[in-house]
């Protein structure tokens, strides 16, 4: 049988991972938003989600303060570098905007799973003040994933339309 201390230890590790994950998300989205030219809806939604992600990091830092813990600078740095490399890899592709869309959708679903797990852990530890902050992060991730899912068709059609007319389609 687990103890409250066991769940708390897993929660703290998960929170450190989530903080690094959100920094990774910023390192992926910021280069994307700088490169998007022909997809104004995507540009606007990425800008919005960058702001949401910055708020998610602030909420995670609030939780760390409440728990008298700190995020992992090493994890933050390593995942941010990985995110930057992924963004760079897509920038080289002819169908960059499509690859970014697919990767963003996958990443949002990864974040959703992480927050659902963290919410479970926060409930197991009876940390009532933590759960609402994590639920807010989860809601924003679910909304972004839904937005991407709802726009995959439009992005694909716009890509083909721009490409067939000889315009810059990749961004």
């Amino acid at each position: 049988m687990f103890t409250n201390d066991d769940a708390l230890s897993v929660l703290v590790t998960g929170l450190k991972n989530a903080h690094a994950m959100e920094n990774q998300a910023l390192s992926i989205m910021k280069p994307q938003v700088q490169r998007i030219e022909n997809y104004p809806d995507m540009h606007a939604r990425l800008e919005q989600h960058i702001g949401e992600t910055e708020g998610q990091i602030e909420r995670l830092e609030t939780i760390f303060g409440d728990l008298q813990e700190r995020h992992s600078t090493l994890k933050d740095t390593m995942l941010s570098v990985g995110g930057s490399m992924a963004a760079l890899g897509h920038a080289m592709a002819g169908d960059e905007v499509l690859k970014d869309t697919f990767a963003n959708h996958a990443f949002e679903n990864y974040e959703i799973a992480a927050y659902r797990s963290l919410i479970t852990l926060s409930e197991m530890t009876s940390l009532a003040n933590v759960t609402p902050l994590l639920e807010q992060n989860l809601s924003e991730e679910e909304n972004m994933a839904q937005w991407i899912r709802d726009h995959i068709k439009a992005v694909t059609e716009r890509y083909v339309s721009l490409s067939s007319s000889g315009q810059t389609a990749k961004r």
Side-chain angles (χ1 to χ4, degrees), residues 74-148:
L74 178 61
K75 283 183 183 183
D76 287 356
T77 302
M78 294 304 292
L79 288 181
S80 290
V81 168
S84 295
M85 296 306 293
L88 180 63
H90 289 180
M92 308 249 182
D95 58 350
E96 173 185 4
V97 71
L98 296 178
K99 284 185 173 43
D100 285 347
T101 300
F102 307 155
N104 290 349
H105 187 260
F107 197 81
E108 293 303 324
N109 281 283
Y110 178 87
E111 290 175 304
I112 288 166
Y115 281 116
R116 286 185 179 155
S117 178
L118 289 171
I119 289 166
T120 300
L121 290 164
S122 72
E123 291 168 347
M124 291 172 69
T125 58
S126 303
L127 294 171
N129 57 328
V130 171
T131 303
L133 297 173
L134 295 173
E135 287 173 339
Q136 187 173 353
N137 286 11
L138 172 62
S139 177
E140 291 170 354
E141 299 301 356
E142 289 174 331
N143 290 338
M144 184 62 179
Q146 185 64 51
W147 187 92
I148 295 168

Side-chain angles (χ1 to χ4, degrees), residues 6-153:
D6 295 331
L8 182 59
S9 176
V10 176
L11 174 63
V12 169
T13 298
L15 290 167
K16 290 177 181 182
N17 292 338
H19 192 275
M21 170 184 74
E22 295 303 354
N23 278 292
Q24 180 182 24
L26 289 176
S27 72
I28 292 169
M29 289 185 294
K30 286 182 176 181
Q32 285 178 7
V33 82
Q34 290 174 354
R35 294 181 50 76
I36 292 175
E37 297 171 4
N38 292 312
Y39 302 84
D41 292 346
M42 182 183 294
H43 185 276
R45 188 59 179 98
L46 279 172
E47 284 280 356
Q48 178 185 340
H49 197 55
I50 287 169
E52 291 169 347
T53 302
E54 290 166 344
Q56 292 167 11
I57 291 169
E58 289 174 15
R59 285 189 284 279
L60 291 168
E61 289 173 355
T62 296
I63 295 169
F64 284 125
D66 291 348
L67 297 176
Q68 298 179 347
E69 293 283 347
R70 290 182 28 86
H71 64 271
S72 170
T73 303
L74 178 61
K75 283 183 183 183
D76 287 356
T77 302
M78 294 304 292
L79 288 181
S80 290
V81 168
S84 295
M85 296 306 293
L88 180 63
H90 289 180
M92 308 249 182
D95 58 350
E96 173 185 4
V97 71
L98 296 178
K99 284 185 173 43
D100 285 347
T101 300
F102 307 155
N104 290 349
H105 187 260
F107 197 81
E108 293 303 324
N109 281 283
Y110 178 87
E111 290 175 304
I112 288 166
Y115 281 116
R116 286 185 179 155
S117 178
L118 289 171
I119 289 166
T120 300
L121 290 164
S122 72
E123 291 168 347
M124 291 172 69
T125 58
S126 303
L127 294 171
N129 57 328
V130 171
T131 303
L133 297 173
L134 295 173
E135 287 173 339
Q136 187 173 353
N137 286 11
L138 172 62
S139 177
E140 291 170 354
E141 299 301 356
E142 289 174 331
N143 290 338
M144 184 62 179
Q146 185 64 51
W147 187 92
I148 295 168
R149 188 170 27 259
D150 291 346
H151 288 81
I152 291 171
K153 180 179 179 182

Side-chain angles (χ1 to χ4, degrees), residues 150-170:
D150 291 346
H151 288 81
I152 291 171
K153 180 179 179 182
V155 169
T156 303
E157 290 172 345
R158 178 130 176 93
Y159 174 81
V160 171
S161 175
L162 289 169
S163 187
S164 67
S165 69
Q167 297 178 45
T168 301
K170 67 185 276 182

